[in-house]
Amino acid sequence: MVEILEYQFMQRALVAGIIVGIICPLIGIFLILRRLSLIGDTLSHISLAGVAAGLAAGINATLTAVVFALGGSLIIEYLRRHYSRYAELATAITMSGGMGLAVILISLGRGNTASVLSYLFGSVASVSTTDLSIMAVLGLMVMVSIIILYRPLFFIAFDEEGARIAGIPVNKINLYFTLLTAITVAVSMRIVGILLVSSLMIIPAAASMQVAKSFKTSVCISVATALISVISGLVLSFYFSLAPGGTIIMCSLFILLLFISFKKLSAMRKANLASR
Amino acid sequence: MQREKVIEIQDITFSYDRKIILENASLTVYRGDFLAIVGPNGSGKSTLVKLMLGLLRPQRGKIFILGKPVEYFNQWEKVGYLSQRAAYFNPHFPATVREVVGAQASAHLGFLKPMRPKDWEKVEKALDTVGLSELSNCMVGRLSGGQQQKVMLARMLVAEPELLFLDEPLVGLDPESQESLYTLLKRLHQECVLTIIMVTHDISGIIKRVNRMVCIHQNKILEHDPRLYRDKKITPGYIAQLYHLH
């Protein structure tokens, strides 16, 4: 463990991983409860277009990914209001558009294939100091926003119409939350890769819902799950030369399986006690 | 003595795309009324409630709630609304009964103001009123259908509202839970002097308990005096047949 910290790129990767491990489940738990899990995938496809645009133009790709993801989130919100009865259409249309644009931009920026791949699958070695600064500022913004909006987000997730009647500005909060999701996707792609960002949002939150005894504990367990997955994934990928994104996601899946087994065992134990 | 109008619907017309739901429809609800809205599926019962709450806007006509045009009304803490969707909430939602009711209590506090002890007292009181104090730390998804509906009612009561809108609160409940919910609503109506507006299909159950009943039929709001039923001049079966209710 000490050896890993001797490398500056691993120090940066661990700090970035901790940021990602906190913000991904914070956003993910509300996405799951609002049945909007697909938005993470959609925004990551759009981020890929942003990365390709940044690499082609010679601008910091994390920044262009943030800008593209923010634009994509505005398009999703616009389409969602247009197709209010088919909300999932909005995400499907935006995802298609994002992927199409990404493919075109990648083909325009020939010679950057290796860089694009590092964003697709995650590459801890290429997290620069600039990347880390951008991640820290945006990550802090996401954390503070979720702390401030915790109560209304909970209310909207449980009963959106009831929240409107209670005077909560639902449309504004929904829009802001989609922007936060976009930022989280763009910030996290350096560590887990564009293809796996939404998994880090969804799996820890899904794992926490297996064992949590309240919403607050569910949030805490999902953040703890993501942090353990990110740190253990980075350490394992360092020592065994594995792809970090994939290793992190496999660690989170392992924890999910542990929680499911734990839940089943405790249910069996309760049934046994009841039958005696 | 003139009774206070809490809802006034004046000659409204509302349609979804080209399908007319209400045309030149009017209705006045007075303080203390227990009003049932019945009608066939798709007749516009829930739409009428959403219009009263300003969630939908009529193409013509005006709606007043507690004396103000609904589009300018801002005292929403005086109004409780149990929507159909809330009744079908995600059963795996990872929250306790106390958290769910507490969220409603905190709605008027803004984003940052913490819940005060008196807000938590209101939560406990609301749970006590619906008889769920002992289950406050249970996960809401583990409760029975009847208990979940009582949690939803506790959410409404926590803000000490003057007006309660309930959209099909009995759907999916067994007869025992339905009876228990009716008893609770009757007690709330009498003890808390609440005005209750309830959408339901259960004519025979509701007609014995409400003081007013309206049906939506051919885009109009028609009123029946429930006393006619109690005097055996009409039967729930007759009303069901008249409006093609099942």
Side-chain angles (χ1 to χ4, degrees), chain A residues 50-220:
Chain A
V51 166
L55 291 174
I59 309 168
N60 183 297
T62 306
L63 267 182
T64 47
V66 170
V67 172
F68 270 62
L70 287 174
S73 64
L74 293 175
I75 293 169
I76 291 174
E77 276 303 308
Y78 173 77
L79 290 175
R80 228 177 12 191
R81 281 174 208 179
H82 233 71
Y83 293 101
S84 55
R85 293 188 199 178
Y86 305 98
E88 74 279 6
L89 258 185
T91 40
I93 292 169
T94 319
M95 187 190 275
S96 314
M99 202 59 208
L101 187 61
V103 172
I104 292 171
L105 289 170
I106 290 168
S107 69
L108 285 176
R110 285 186 197 114
N112 286 321
T113 316
S115 304
V116 171
L117 283 180
S118 81
Y119 281 92
L120 263 181
F121 300 108
S123 168
V124 291
S126 53
V127 177
S128 65
T129 314
T130 315
D131 283 339
L132 191 59
S133 309
I134 295 169
M135 290 170 84
V137 171
L138 294 178
L140 191 67
M141 182 188 152
V142 173
M143 282 180 233
V144 172
S145 299
I146 293 293
I147 290 168
I148 293 172
L149 295 176
Y150 176 84
R151 283 197 315 226
L153 282 172
F154 173 86
F155 201 147
I156 294 169
F158 189 76
D159 176 13
E160 188 166 322
E161 275 187 346
R164 280 182 208 280
I165 297 295
I168 291 171
V170 173
N171 288 345
K172 285 180 188 162
I173 290 177
N174 279 348
L175 175 63
Y176 189 65
F177 180 71
T178 313
L179 293 174
L180 290 178
T181 310
I183 291 171
T184 304
V185 167
V187 161
S188 311
M189 65 184 181
R190 227 37 189 130
I191 294 296
V192 279
I194 286 166
L195 292 177
L196 294 170
V197 167
S198 69
S199 310
L200 194 61
M201 288 178 157
I202 304 307
I203 298 170
S208 76
M209 286 166 70
Q210 295 292 325
V211 289
K213 299 285 181 206
S214 70
F215 188 72
K216 265 189 187 150
T217 55
S218 185
V219 172
C220 295

Side-chain angles (χ1 to χ4, degrees), chain A residues 230-264:
Chain A
V230 169
I231 294 169
S232 52
L234 286 175
V235 172
L236 287 172
S237 67
F238 176 81
Y239 285 109
F240 296 100
S241 302
L242 301 170
T247 316
I248 290 168
I249 299 307
M250 292 316 287
C251 288
S252 67
L253 274 175
F254 177 70
I255 297 174
L256 171 67
L257 287 176
L258 272 183
F259 283 168
I260 291 173
S261 312
F262 172 77
K263 194 179 174 184
K264 284 214 164 153

Side-chain angles (χ1 to χ4, degrees), chain B residues 162-182:
Chain B
E162 295 176 15
L163 254 167
L164 263 192
F165 290 85
L166 309 168
D167 195 351
E168 302 272 17
L170 305 168
V171 170
L173 299 187
D174 58 57
E176 200 180 321
S177 303
Q178 287 190 5
E179 194 54 44
S180 164
L181 201 63
Y182 271 134

Side-chain angles (χ1 to χ4, degrees), chain B residues 102-153:
Chain B
Q104 189 83 34
S106 69
H108 68 282
L109 292 174
F111 296 157
L112 286 173
K113 216 169 163 187
M115 286 273 281
R116 298 158 295 183
K118 73 171 186 182
D119 296 313
W120 284 117
E121 276 169 26
K122 281 183 183 175
V123 172
E124 302 304 336
K125 191 181 159 199
L127 286 172
D128 190 43
T129 305
V130 300
L132 290 180
S133 294
E134 288 178 8
L135 298 174
S136 67
N137 289 320
C138 268
M139 296 292 269
V140 71
R142 296 210 178 141
L143 303 180
S144 69
Q147 287 170 328
Q148 285 175 350
Q149 281 301 50
K150 285 182 178 174
V151 172
M152 298 303 154
L153 256 185

